[in-house]
Amino acid sequence: DRRLLSMADRRGALPLAYVRKEHWAKWVDFFDRKKDDYWPWRDAAKDGEESPPELSLMVPGSSTFPDPPNACSVEVAAQISSGQLS
């Protein structure tokens, strides 16, 4: 949903804030090419206001995802990420 580009994360940052400065021109070019797809002209008086994205109505941190099958434990993952286990 393109409107998610306007939603801040738990840190208060918008998604595009994480784009490296050296990639900005590529993103500007991408959105320039896609602007008619993502932001088509619409008549709000005729079509009404857009509802907020469904995801924006959820309480932050209220949705969890199950671990994938054969996932390692948190302890093992910590050892791997710290280089203690390879």
Side-chain angles (χ1 to χ4, degrees):
D1 186 325
R2 59 162 169 73
R3 295 171 295 168
L4 296 176
L5 291 171
S6 304
M7 289 182 54
D9 63 14
R10 294 180 114 179
R11 298 177 184 185
L14 299 175
L16 293 175
Y18 293 102
V19 174
R20 292 183 191 168
K21 192 170 185 173
E22 63 263 24
H23 297 148
W24 286 1
K26 290 180 181 181
W27 278 100
V28 168
D29 180 56
F30 172 78
F31 284 121
D32 190 47
R33 286 182 283 122
K34 295 293 195 175
K35 64 186 171 195
D36 292 329
D37 296 330
Y38 289 169
W39 297 278
W41 185 89
R42 59 189 307 277
D43 184 348
K46 177 182 156 204
D47 301 328
E49 293 295 323
E50 286 187 287
S51 60
E54 186 176 330
L55 186 60
S56 71
L57 302 175
M58 296 175 66
V59 175
S62 65
S63 179
T64 60
F65 295 95
D67 286 335
N70 301 319
C72 63
S73 68
V74 172
E75 293 78 16
V76 171
Q79 290 176 331
I80 294 169
S81 66
S82 67
Q84 296 174 353
L85 186 64
S86 57

